[in-house]
Amino acid sequence: LLSSSAAVLYILGGDRPVYYGAQDVSLSPLGEKEATAAGQYLKQFHLDLIVASPLKRAVFGAKEVLKLQQHYNNNNDDDDDDN
């Protein structure tokens, strides 16, 4: 995203024909693949904040996005070593 802009991105999945709401069910194998694909897509953006509900499926998706954001944190850590 552009440095002078702000955006809120929502990542939603829904490969199951049932509405689970607050039930804490895991993602299906397809849902896991979609969460990983979302992380791959979002890797191109430097995200300042990732927020998820405490439900297993939301935490899984957030972790997939977060682990591909680590390169931004690692680059910042390297800069700190020079100071």
Side-chain angles (χ1 to χ4, degrees):
L1 305 179
L2 301 175
S3 62
S4 62
S5 67
V8 175
L9 305 171
Y10 293 93
I11 302 171
L12 304 172
D15 65 311
R16 296 179 178 174
V18 177
Y19 175 74
Y20 285 98
Q23 293 180 18
D24 198 9
V25 297
S26 299
L27 286 172
S28 68
L30 176 59
E32 289 182 3
K33 288 179 185 176
E34 291 174 339
T36 301
Q40 285 291 336
Y41 174 76
L42 293 171
K43 180 179 172 181
Q44 66 186 307
F45 304 109
H46 180 183
L47 303 178
D48 294 320
L49 181 67
I50 299 171
V51 179
S53 82
L55 298 176
K56 288 185 269 190
R57 60 189 185 269
V59 170
F60 179 91
K63 285 182 177 179
E64 289 299 297
V65 173
L66 180 62
K67 73 181 174 186
L68 294 173
Q69 288 288 308
Q70 296 302 317
H71 66 280
Y72 289 110
N73 291 334
N74 292 339
N75 288 342
N76 289 340
D77 291 344
D78 292 342
D79 293 341
D80 291 343
D81 292 340
D82 295 336
N83 293 332

